[in-house]
Amino acid sequence: MIAEEMIIACCTDLAGKVRGKAFPASQFEKRLRRGIGWTPTNVQITCFDAIGESPFGALGDLVLIPDQSARVRVDFDDGQPVEHFALGDIRHTDGRPWELCTRSILKAALDRLEKVTGLTLLGAFEHEFQLRDVPAPRGEAYTAAGFRTERRLAETLIAAMREAGLEPDTFMKEYGGGQYEVTMGPSRGVSIADHSTILREILHATAGRFDRKITFTPIRDPAGVGNGVHIHLSFLDGDKPATYDAAGKHGLSAVAGQFVAGVLRYLDSIVALTAPSAVSYLRLTPHRWSAAFNNLGFRDREASVRICPVSDLSDIAKAAQFNFEFRAADAAASPHLQLAAIIHAGVQGIEEGLQTPEATAEDLSLLDSAALAARGYVRLPQSLREALERFAGNTTVAGWFPEGFTDVYVKHKMAELAVLEGKATDEICGLYEQVY
Ligand code: GLU
Ligand code: MG
C-alpha cells in the first residue's frame, strides 16, 4: 500500500499528555520556521478529555515550532510505520513564548538557575511502569525470570532508546505485579525533560508493536505499590561536577545543599505540579517507598529527596557519580513542568541562603503534627484538591510562573477532578491507568 512518512510536532501539556499535529516529514525544514498552528484552549483539555474553564474560549492562535534537537526517528524495522516526532515550543504568532508552554516555562527556570549560580543542570528521569494486559505472574519481583518474561520488549526498547538519542542504562523487574523500571543516562538542561517525554512515548510505541498495553499511572490499586518517577539531578560548573563536597553535610556542596533545602521548603506547594493526578495522593503515603513528608533521606527510600549512593568500585569519580533524586513525582505530570517547579524551588532556596537540611532515617509517620513541625517537617498534601490549594495560595510559587499560569492550571485540574466526582477509588484508578 502507498504511504508517505509523517512527523508529529508536539509538546507536553498541563495534563502531562503529548499533543501535537503531524505533517509530511519532507516538510520538516519548512516547519522549523513556520511551525504548525495551535489553539490556546487545547491547554484545558484534561487527561479525561473534559475541557476546563478557559480564559481563551474560541479565540486566539499560536504556533508550535518543532525543535531539531528534540527530533526522534525510530524505525523498528518490523514493516510498521516509522515512529517520528519532534518536541517543540508553543509561541505567540509574533514569536514570544506562550505563557502556558511547558517547555518555555522550563527554559525560563533553567535561565534563572544559570543567572543565579552559573551552573548547568545535569539529570535523568527514572520511570516505573506496569504491563496491564496480562494477569501478572507472582513471585517475580527483581528476578531474572521476571526480566526474561519481558526480554523481547526490553531489548526492543533499548534499541529504540538508542535510536532516539537516549542513553540506555538499566531495565529491571520491579517489585509490583507486572511492574518494571527503566533508567537512562543523564543529559543537560531542557533535554532532561525532553528525554523523559521521549522515553514515555517510545515505551508506549514499543509496547504497541507487541500488542501490549503499559501504564505509567501513579498507582493502580491502593493495596499495591505505585509507579514512581524519580528525578535524578546534579550540577556542573562548566564540565566539572559541582554537587559533591567531601566536607559538606551529607557530602552536598553548599549550593547543592541550599537547592535541596529550597525544594523541600516549597515542596508542599509544588507537589500539585510534580504529582498532579487524584491518584497521585494514594501513592504519596507512608510505607510505600514513595514520599509523604518534605524530608531529605540519606540513602533512605522514604524521602522526598534522597541522596543517591556512590560507589568506590565504580570507574566514575565520586564527585561525578554524586546526585540526589526527587521522589515526589509521577508520570501524570509534564516532565517539563515538574523540572521547572523543582528548579525554581531550589533556586529560591539558594537566593534565601537556606542551610543544607538534616537527613532523616526514621519513620516520620510515627510523629504527630506538633512533633513534625518542631523539626521543620510537614506532611505533604493528601489530596489533589489540597495540593492545588497550597499551590494557588503560595504567592512566592505563583510568582515563578508566567502571568495567568496558576489560575489556568487550577481550573484545568478542577475539571479533571469534576470527572471523578462520585466515583469509587477502584473506578478512579481504572480511569487513570487507561490514560497514562
Ligand atoms: N515504587 C516506588 C514509588 O512509587 C519506588 C520504589 C523504588 O524505590 O524504586 O515511588
Ligand atoms: Mg524503582
Side-chain angles (χ1 to χ4, degrees):
M1 208 168 315
I2 59 166
E4 182 175 334
E5 185 171 330
M6 298 184 80
I7 177 168
I8 317 163
C10 50
C11 59
T12 65
D13 69 1
L14 304 191
K17 288 272 171 187
V18 177
R19 297 190 212 266
K21 268 186 201 174
F23 52 86
S26 57
Q27 287 177 12
F28 188 72
E29 300 304 321
K30 230 164 35 193
R31 296 283 180 181
L32 274 178
R33 286 187 303 277
R34 224 189 261 169
I36 53 163
W38 201 247
T39 309
T41 286
N42 285 2
V43 79
Q44 289 305 57
I45 304 175
T46 64
C47 63
F48 301 127
D49 296 338
I51 300 181
E53 192 187 324
S54 163
F56 315 110
L59 304 177
D61 282 294
L62 301 161
V63 281
L64 198 169
I65 314 268
D67 182 343
Q68 171 67 47
S69 71
R71 181 177 183 179
V72 169
R73 185 176 186 279
V74 180
D75 185 350
F76 284 84
D77 199 18
D78 59 352
Q80 291 187 52
V82 168
E83 185 66 38
H84 201 172
F85 61 89
L87 303 177
D89 297 352
I90 306 179
R91 298 179 178 275
H92 290 281
T93 49
D94 62 9
R96 279 175 302 127
W98 187 41
E99 289 74 6
L100 278 308
C101 167
T102 60
R103 205 161 177 265
S104 305
I105 287 172
L106 172 57
K107 286 178 178 173
L110 287 161
D111 285 350
R112 182 178 174 205
L113 173 71
E114 150 80 31
K115 210 174 281 154
V116 173
T117 66
L119 299 175
T120 303
L121 194 67
L122 184 73
F125 281 55
E126 167 187 335
H127 290 272
E128 293 172 340
F129 66 96
Q130 281 170 295
L131 288 151
R132 64 186 187 93
D133 50 349
V134 284
R138 275 181 190 277
E140 289 201 334
Y142 307 113
T143 61
F147 174 76
R148 204 174 293 125
T149 311
E150 298 303 338
R151 178 184 280 275
R152 198 78 197 89
L153 191 145
E155 290 184 350
T156 303
L157 174 70
I158 297 297
M161 284 171 71
R162 212 181 286 285
E163 263 203 64
L166 273 45
E167 188 193 325
D169 185 45
T170 66
F171 186 98
M172 70 151 183
K173 176 69 190 70
E174 249 290 357
Y175 174 72
Q179 189 183 39
Y180 289 82
E181 175 185 297
V182 57
T183 63
M184 62 181 130
S187 56
R188 296 178 186 212
V190 74
S191 30
I192 304 169
D194 286 350
H195 285 188
S196 165
T197 311
I198 292 166
L199 187 271
R200 294 178 200 183
E201 289 301 300
I202 289 291
L203 188 40
H204 275 297
T206 303
R209 305 276 161 156
F210 292 101
D211 286 323
R212 307 292 298 280
K213 285 201 176 84
I214 57 143
T215 181
F216 288 98
T217 189
I219 197 162
R220 297 179 76 193
D221 170 4
V225 295
N227 293 306
V229 165
H230 299 161
I231 305 174
H232 291 260
L233 297 173
S234 60
F235 303 103
L236 290 173
D237 185 359
D239 283 324
K240 280 206 326 277
T243 322
Y244 182 66
D245 178 351
K249 199 190 276 182
H250 320 305
L252 285 166
S253 64
V255 70
Q258 291 179 331
F259 186 96
V260 167
V263 171
L264 295 175
R265 166 174 253 183
Y266 290 97
L267 181 57
D268 66 330
S269 302
I270 62 167
V271 77
L273 297 170
T274 64
S277 73
V279 293
S280 299
Y281 297 86
L282 299 173
R283 171 177 165 261
L284 298 181
T285 47
H287 312 138
R288 262 179 211 290
W289 291 18
S290 67
F293 303 91
N294 62 337
N295 60 319
L296 172 66
F298 185 74
R299 303 184 180 180
D300 175 359
R301 288 182 176 76
E302 288 246 338
S304 291
V305 175
R306 178 176 88 115
I307 297 173
C308 298
V310 286
S311 161
D312 297 327
L313 304 176
S314 174
D315 55 324
I316 305 169
K318 222 177 202 171
Q321 290 177 54
F322 200 74
N323 71 90
F324 53 88
E325 64 174 0
F326 179 93
R327 298 171 67 89
D330 62 52
S334 150
H336 299 86
L337 276 186
Q338 285 174 315
L339 197 54
I342 294 166
I343 294 168
H344 277 300
V347 177
Q348 190 74 31
I350 295 170
E351 286 182 343
E352 291 176 15
L354 302 182
Q355 295 298 309
T356 303
E358 296 300 333
T360 52
E362 65 189 281
D363 186 353
L364 293 181
S365 70
L366 299 175
L367 305 184
D368 61 21
S369 53
L372 278 175
R375 296 183 42 192
Y377 296 121
V378 294
R379 174 75 172 88
L380 296 183
Q382 294 179 51
S383 68
L384 176 56
R385 207 174 282 274
E386 194 191 333
L388 290 167
E389 276 162 19
R390 301 229 200 145
F391 169 58
N394 192 322
T395 48
T396 304
V397 171
W400 300 337
F401 294 92
E403 184 78 36
F405 175 84
T406 307
D407 184 51
V408 172
Y409 188 79
V410 171
K411 285 180 171 143
H412 178 114
K413 287 288 153 182
M414 291 317 261
E416 178 179 329
L417 285 173
V419 174
L420 307 174
E421 203 73 56
K423 292 192 171 28
T425 303
D426 58 342
E427 198 182 342
I428 292 173
C429 288
L431 286 172
Y432 276 110
E433 75 170 59
Q434 280 173 45
V435 299
Y436 292 113

